[in-house]
Each structure stands twice: as structure tokens, then as C-alpha cells.
Amino acid sequence: LSNSYYNTIPFNEEIYIRVEDIFNPDCKTIESLNLQVNANPEAFNTSLLQCDEDGTIDGITLFNLNEANETITNGLPNLSTKFYTDATRTQEIDGSSYFNTQNPQIIYTEINDNNTGCISNSELTIQVSTTNSNNALLVLCDDDGVEDGLQTFNLNNAENQITNGLPMGLSISYFETYEDALLEINNLETSYSNTNPYSQTIYARVENINNCYGISEVTLTVNELPNIETENLRLYCLNTFPEPIALNAGLINDLP
């Protein structure tokens, strides 16, 4: 008999093995063997739209391909992905940081079921957008009791400036560096204390359903408090009444 067998019951079938002594066929035993067929994971084609705001409008920019994982795997935790630049899936690339080579570009994905080792394929289309968003400026006085150029900003106060004139329904997240904004890593809390005294630029990523609409610069400015004389004595003689006397606010190094 052939050692090749095509199962007839889907996914799980029991067959039987007869083991006998070739010199004495009456001496035999029968064992069962379970044949299990695991289904390939379901994979989905999807796309990513990234911003082209690196100073050179050439359709080439940095992608975090892992942002598409939830859609590709339908959010199943037992599935993992790999990314390739060729349809034969031999040229693997780093999904966490990838510069596209053309716009648009197809990235070939491999979806692996970590429990069974079964694999499926799908395609990820990456494209660079030409939309943009507005820059913003937030200004606070250095009045928190310590004059060091550091303050706590509510970054939500920048949203109206960033989205002025843009479509409704956009979401905004904030990052310390431009690269973090491109890769969508190390998000800032909306309550943020600047780390560079007096002036610092952070970045706001504006998205439309996980597609990058634009990356804005948000300038955080902390103004120094005026340096004043806390006490000053001026004398006014009654014999000069009603002549006025000039007073000033006691500003040190005041501008004329």
C-alpha cells in the first residue's frame, strides 16, 4: 500500500495502523492515528497613508508598517506578520521603520499562526499623501513659582490652530520628535511639561482614520516674568503742591 493518504474527513480524522510480525502474521497489534489539518490564518489586504513632510516633497518618507497589523490580522493575538518587498517573499524588511522606494508601493505580507505554524499571504499598499495641517503656537508665563523657563502646557489648546480650515473628524496625537510622529511611537500626554527652557518645538500628527493627514510643528513658548523693584521710596514735598510727581512701575531694565 502507498504511504501517501488523502484524508476524507475535514480537519480531524482517525485512521488505524496494523503492526504485525512479518515472520508470524498472527502476532499483530492495531493502533489508532489522528490526522489533524489546521486551517491557514485569514489575512486581509489593506493600505497605509503617510505624510510627506520631511522637507522634500518627493513621495518618499518613513513608514511604521506595523500600524497595519491589526487590520491585516483582524486583531487576532495569535497571528504575527512579516513584510517583504518582493512577491516571492524573500526580501524581508523591518516593519517598524521602512522608507518606501516608490509612491504608491505594494508591500507583501506573510501572516503566521503562532500556534500552528500555518501561513497566509496578503498585500499592504503604502502611499504618501499631499495633505497638510497647520502649525501652532502655545504661550505661557513662567509663573509657576520657579522661574526656570519650564511650564506645563495643555496640548489640547493647540487643536483649533492645527485643524483650522480642515475637515471635521480628524484625530491629533503629540510627539517630541518628527521621527516619533512618523512612526507613531512615544506618544505624549496632553498635559506636557517642556524640557527645553523658554522655547521648544514638538510635533502633532493629524490623522483621518489611521491615515496621516499632516504633521504640524507646535511651538511651546514660556515668557519670563518682568524683573521689578519690590520696594521703592519717593518723597513728595507739600510746598510743591499741586505739581504732579512722576512714578514708574519699578521695572528693571525696562524698554524705553
PDB file of all heavy atoms in Angstrom, residues 132 134 159-168 170 213:
ATOM      1  N   ASN A 132      -1.867  68.528   4.266  1.00  0.00           N
ATOM      2  CA  ASN A 132      -1.055  69.080   5.349  1.00  0.00           C
ATOM      3  C   ASN A 132      -1.952  69.724   6.389  1.00  0.00           C
ATOM      4  O   ASN A 132      -3.137  69.955   6.151  1.00  0.00           O
ATOM      5  CB  ASN A 132      -0.017  70.084   4.820  1.00  0.00           C
ATOM      6  CG  ASN A 132      -0.653  71.185   4.005  1.00  0.00           C
ATOM      7  OD1 ASN A 132      -1.525  71.908   4.479  1.00  0.00           O
ATOM      8  ND2 ASN A 132      -0.243  71.322   2.747  1.00  0.00           N
ATOM      9  N   ASN A 134      -1.940  72.671   9.956  1.00  0.00           N
ATOM     10  CA  ASN A 134      -1.374  73.958  10.351  1.00  0.00           C
ATOM     11  C   ASN A 134      -0.432  73.828  11.540  1.00  0.00           C
ATOM     12  O   ASN A 134      -0.637  72.986  12.417  1.00  0.00           O
ATOM     13  CB  ASN A 134      -2.510  74.927  10.719  1.00  0.00           C
ATOM     14  CG  ASN A 134      -3.546  75.043   9.624  1.00  0.00           C
ATOM     15  OD1 ASN A 134      -3.226  75.304   8.477  1.00  0.00           O
ATOM     16  ND2 ASN A 134      -4.809  74.833   9.978  1.00  0.00           N
ATOM     17  N   GLU A 159      -5.327  72.462  19.340  1.00  0.00           N
ATOM     18  CA  GLU A 159      -6.118  71.766  18.325  1.00  0.00           C
ATOM     19  C   GLU A 159      -6.823  72.724  17.365  1.00  0.00           C
ATOM     20  O   GLU A 159      -6.869  72.473  16.157  1.00  0.00           O
ATOM     21  CB  GLU A 159      -7.127  70.834  18.996  1.00  0.00           C
ATOM     22  CG  GLU A 159      -6.468  69.630  19.647  1.00  0.00           C
ATOM     23  CD  GLU A 159      -7.454  68.576  20.083  1.00  0.00           C
ATOM     24  OE1 GLU A 159      -8.666  68.731  19.781  1.00  0.00           O
ATOM     25  OE2 GLU A 159      -7.032  67.605  20.723  1.00  0.00           O
ATOM     26  N   ASN A 160      -7.396  73.810  17.874  1.00  0.00           N
ATOM     27  CA  ASN A 160      -8.120  74.724  16.991  1.00  0.00           C
ATOM     28  C   ASN A 160      -7.192  75.349  15.954  1.00  0.00           C
ATOM     29  O   ASN A 160      -7.581  75.549  14.795  1.00  0.00           O
ATOM     30  CB  ASN A 160      -8.811  75.821  17.804  1.00  0.00           C
ATOM     31  CG  ASN A 160     -10.009  75.302  18.576  1.00  0.00           C
ATOM     32  OD1 ASN A 160     -10.574  74.259  18.240  1.00  0.00           O
ATOM     33  ND2 ASN A 160     -10.400  76.009  19.629  1.00  0.00           N
ATOM     34  N   GLN A 161      -5.952  75.670  16.363  1.00  0.00           N
ATOM     35  CA  GLN A 161      -4.996  76.222  15.410  1.00  0.00           C
ATOM     36  C   GLN A 161      -4.599  75.177  14.365  1.00  0.00           C
ATOM     37  O   GLN A 161      -4.513  75.471  13.172  1.00  0.00           O
ATOM     38  CB  GLN A 161      -3.741  76.704  16.133  1.00  0.00           C
ATOM     39  CG  GLN A 161      -3.961  77.812  17.160  1.00  0.00           C
ATOM     40  CD  GLN A 161      -2.661  78.165  17.868  1.00  0.00           C
ATOM     41  OE1 GLN A 161      -1.678  78.535  17.241  1.00  0.00           O
ATOM     42  NE2 GLN A 161      -2.666  78.020  19.196  1.00  0.00           N
ATOM     43  N   ILE A 162      -4.375  73.947  14.799  1.00  0.00           N
ATOM     44  CA  ILE A 162      -3.903  72.889  13.903  1.00  0.00           C
ATOM     45  C   ILE A 162      -4.952  72.534  12.862  1.00  0.00           C
ATOM     46  O   ILE A 162      -4.635  72.326  11.677  1.00  0.00           O
ATOM     47  CB  ILE A 162      -3.514  71.640  14.714  1.00  0.00           C
ATOM     48  CG1 ILE A 162      -2.291  71.940  15.592  1.00  0.00           C
ATOM     49  CG2 ILE A 162      -3.233  70.445  13.811  1.00  0.00           C
ATOM     50  CD1 ILE A 162      -1.990  70.856  16.605  1.00  0.00           C
ATOM     51  N   THR A 163      -6.214  72.460  13.263  1.00  0.00           N
ATOM     52  CA  THR A 163      -7.270  71.979  12.369  1.00  0.00           C
ATOM     53  C   THR A 163      -8.070  73.102  11.723  1.00  0.00           C
ATOM     54  O   THR A 163      -9.061  72.829  11.049  1.00  0.00           O
ATOM     55  CB  THR A 163      -8.232  71.057  13.138  1.00  0.00           C
ATOM     56  OG1 THR A 163      -8.830  71.794  14.228  1.00  0.00           O
ATOM     57  CG2 THR A 163      -7.505  69.844  13.687  1.00  0.00           C
ATOM     58  N   ASN A 164      -7.653  74.353  11.890  1.00  0.00           N
ATOM     59  CA  ASN A 164      -8.396  75.469  11.310  1.00  0.00           C
ATOM     60  C   ASN A 164      -8.489  75.317   9.787  1.00  0.00           C
ATOM     61  O   ASN A 164      -7.493  75.244   9.085  1.00  0.00           O
ATOM     62  CB  ASN A 164      -7.710  76.792  11.657  1.00  0.00           C
ATOM     63  CG  ASN A 164      -8.491  77.989  11.167  1.00  0.00           C
ATOM     64  OD1 ASN A 164      -9.717  77.988  11.122  1.00  0.00           O
ATOM     65  ND2 ASN A 164      -7.776  79.046  10.777  1.00  0.00           N
ATOM     66  N   GLY A 165      -9.717  75.249   9.287  1.00  0.00           N
ATOM     67  CA  GLY A 165      -9.937  75.110   7.853  1.00  0.00           C
ATOM     68  C   GLY A 165      -9.864  73.698   7.329  1.00  0.00           C
ATOM     69  O   GLY A 165     -10.024  73.470   6.121  1.00  0.00           O
ATOM     70  N   LEU A 166      -9.629  72.699   8.205  1.00  0.00           N
ATOM     71  CA  LEU A 166      -9.518  71.302   7.782  1.00  0.00           C
ATOM     72  C   LEU A 166     -10.855  70.590   7.989  1.00  0.00           C
ATOM     73  O   LEU A 166     -11.731  71.074   8.697  1.00  0.00           O
ATOM     74  CB  LEU A 166      -8.422  70.599   8.579  1.00  0.00           C
ATOM     75  CG  LEU A 166      -7.018  71.198   8.490  1.00  0.00           C
ATOM     76  CD1 LEU A 166      -6.034  70.331   9.272  1.00  0.00           C
ATOM     77  CD2 LEU A 166      -6.564  71.353   7.054  1.00  0.00           C
ATOM     78  N   PRO A 167     -11.035  69.404   7.374  1.00  0.00           N
ATOM     79  CA  PRO A 167     -12.287  68.659   7.547  1.00  0.00           C
ATOM     80  C   PRO A 167     -12.517  68.245   8.995  1.00  0.00           C
ATOM     81  O   PRO A 167     -11.588  68.164   9.790  1.00  0.00           O
ATOM     82  CB  PRO A 167     -12.085  67.426   6.647  1.00  0.00           C
ATOM     83  CG  PRO A 167     -11.006  67.802   5.696  1.00  0.00           C
ATOM     84  CD  PRO A 167     -10.125  68.768   6.416  1.00  0.00           C
ATOM     85  N   MET A 168     -13.774  67.971   9.306  1.00  0.00           N
ATOM     86  CA  MET A 168     -14.135  67.512  10.642  1.00  0.00           C
ATOM     87  C   MET A 168     -13.705  66.059  10.835  1.00  0.00           C
ATOM     88  O   MET A 168     -13.448  65.325   9.884  1.00  0.00           O
ATOM     89  CB  MET A 168     -15.651  67.647  10.841  1.00  0.00           C
ATOM     90  CG  MET A 168     -16.176  69.060  10.721  1.00  0.00           C
ATOM     91  SD  MET A 168     -15.661  70.100  12.108  1.00  0.00           S
ATOM     92  CE  MET A 168     -16.629  69.366  13.430  1.00  0.00           C
ATOM     93  N   LEU A 170     -11.011  64.757  12.425  1.00  0.00           N
ATOM     94  CA  LEU A 170      -9.596  64.407  12.467  1.00  0.00           C
ATOM     95  C   LEU A 170      -9.164  64.159  13.914  1.00  0.00           C
ATOM     96  O   LEU A 170      -9.669  64.788  14.842  1.00  0.00           O
ATOM     97  CB  LEU A 170      -8.754  65.525  11.859  1.00  0.00           C
ATOM     98  CG  LEU A 170      -9.029  65.860  10.392  1.00  0.00           C
ATOM     99  CD1 LEU A 170      -8.226  67.079   9.963  1.00  0.00           C
ATOM    100  CD2 LEU A 170      -8.699  64.673   9.490  1.00  0.00           C
ATOM    101  N   TYR A 213      -2.828  62.718   7.890  1.00  0.00           N
ATOM    102  CA  TYR A 213      -3.305  63.885   7.153  1.00  0.00           C
ATOM    103  C   TYR A 213      -2.232  64.970   7.117  1.00  0.00           C
ATOM    104  O   TYR A 213      -2.098  65.698   6.141  1.00  0.00           O
ATOM    105  CB  TYR A 213      -4.572  64.426   7.817  1.00  0.00           C
ATOM    106  CG  TYR A 213      -5.319  65.426   6.964  1.00  0.00           C
ATOM    107  CD1 TYR A 213      -6.368  65.020   6.143  1.00  0.00           C
ATOM    108  CD2 TYR A 213      -4.976  66.778   6.969  1.00  0.00           C
ATOM    109  CE1 TYR A 213      -7.047  65.929   5.350  1.00  0.00           C
ATOM    110  CE2 TYR A 213      -5.651  67.693   6.179  1.00  0.00           C
ATOM    111  CZ  TYR A 213      -6.682  67.259   5.369  1.00  0.00           C
ATOM    112  OH  TYR A 213      -7.335  68.163   4.581  1.00  0.00           O
TER     113      TYR A 213
END
